[in-house]
């Protein structure tokens, strides 16, 4: 049986999301940024984040799928659903659920850069620094997490647990 161990409570998530929204509202007060959520994992986080942002924003979404092994990022990403908005000369905030190896993020950032936005910043709820394979710069970060498989608050394990209101980790073997 899959065991789910709570890691970051609903209260801690709410407090951090408000802090990030405040920071973004301050940093972008002279422009209308376009928040680009990476589906599906970032959907719950982004929904809460935008509701605490106090400046005008636009929202759009990208859906990506990783080629190859389902649990290990290959860095080769397919854009399954592309943006609906034009991003040329816009201030983009890429909203991610979790940065693991960093390869998906790099691919998406490079892809968006080709469309010549004015700026691109990264906002990620979670980061697993122990797993980075490349240098990653996260401008707005929620929490650093240890090298465990996490779920909840939009993040899945085999398409389950996205609806948990908190972040937990999945005990994949008895040693965790
Ligand atoms: P990366 O390319 O290795 O950074 O992988 C990024 C993507 O893999 C994330 O956006 C998630 O969709 C997925 N992922 C990485 N780690 C986890 C995890 O612990 N739980 C669930 N999904 C994860
Ligand atoms: Mg993701």
């Amino acid at each position: 049986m899959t065991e789910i161990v709570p890691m970051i409570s609903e209260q801690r998530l709410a407090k951090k999301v408000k802090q990030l929204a405040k920071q973004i509202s301050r940093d972008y007060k002279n422009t209308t940024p376009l928040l680009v959520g990476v589906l599906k994992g970032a959907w719950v986080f982004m929904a809460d984040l935008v509701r605490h942002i106090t400046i005008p924003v636009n929202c759009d979404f990208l859906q990506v799928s990783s080629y190859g092994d389902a649990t290990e990022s290959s860095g080769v990403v397919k854009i399954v659903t592309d943006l609906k908005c034009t991003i040329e000369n816009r201030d983009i905030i890429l909203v991610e659920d979790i940065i693991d190896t960093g390869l998906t993020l790099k691919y998406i950032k490079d892809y968006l850069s080709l469309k010549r936005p004015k700026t691109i910043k990264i906002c990620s709820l979670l980061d697993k620094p122990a797993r980075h394979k490349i240098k990653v710069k996260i401008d707005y970060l929620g929490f650093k997490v240890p090298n465990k498989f996490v779920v909840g608050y939009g993040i899945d394990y085999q398409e389950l647990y996205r609806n948990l209101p908190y972040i937990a980790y999945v005990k994949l073997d008895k040693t965790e």
Side-chain angles (χ1 to χ4, degrees):
M1 212 187 87
T2 315
E3 198 182 334
I4 299 294
V5 186
M7 188 187 244
I8 306 170
S9 71
E10 234 179 306
Q11 290 75 16
R12 283 181 71 204
L13 286 170
K15 193 173 166 202
K16 185 66 81 176
V17 168
K18 278 184 198 162
Q19 284 171 359
L20 293 173
K22 200 171 166 188
Q23 226 180 319
I24 289 171
S25 306
R26 208 170 40 220
D27 293 353
Y28 289 84
K29 63 176 186 297
N30 298 320
T31 182
T32 301
L34 171 64
L35 274 72
V36 174
V38 183
L39 295 173
K40 298 179 206 171
W43 135 74
V44 175
F45 171 44
M46 184 153 145
D48 281 346
L49 184 71
V50 290
R51 281 180 288 176
H52 289 101
I53 294 179
T54 53
I55 56 161
V57 294
N58 296 132
C59 299
D60 203 350
F61 296 93
L62 262 183
Q63 184 164 12
V64 300
S65 76
S66 230
Y67 282 116
D69 191 327
T71 54
E72 184 75 13
S73 182
S74 62
V76 186
V77 172
K78 186 173 154 199
I79 309 283
V80 178
T81 310
D82 207 340
L83 296 172
K84 303 286 183 289
C85 296
T86 311
I87 66 168
E88 190 170 343
N89 217 25
R90 296 291 310 267
D91 292 300
I92 308 300
I93 304 174
L94 190 60
V95 182
E96 263 282 21
D97 52 355
I98 179 166
I99 312 296
D100 188 35
T101 61
L103 295 172
T104 303
L105 175 72
K106 185 182 184 315
Y107 183 93
I108 297 173
K109 210 176 161 187
D110 289 349
Y111 172 75
L112 295 180
S113 297
L114 294 175
K115 297 173 185 279
R116 297 196 291 168
K118 193 169 173 190
T119 60
I120 304 184
K121 285 198 176 178
I122 311 299
C123 175
S124 184
L125 178 68
L126 305 177
D127 181 31
K128 259 191 232 177
R131 296 260 309 161
H132 290 181
K133 283 191 177 159
I134 51 169
K135 194 164 178 286
V136 177
K137 180 171 180 276
I138 306 172
D139 302 280
Y140 304 98
L141 174 65
F143 300 90
K144 285 186 183 170
V145 293
N147 187 9
K148 302 215 181 265
F149 199 87
V150 300
V151 293
Y153 202 62
I155 302 171
D156 76 304
Y157 172 57
Q158 298 179 345
E159 285 301 325
L160 288 171
Y161 310 113
R162 292 193 197 275
N163 57 319
L164 287 181
Y166 53 88
I167 297 286
Y169 71 89
V170 182
K171 246 185 177 173
L172 296 170
D173 66 57
K174 290 197 171 60
T175 59
E176 284 191 272

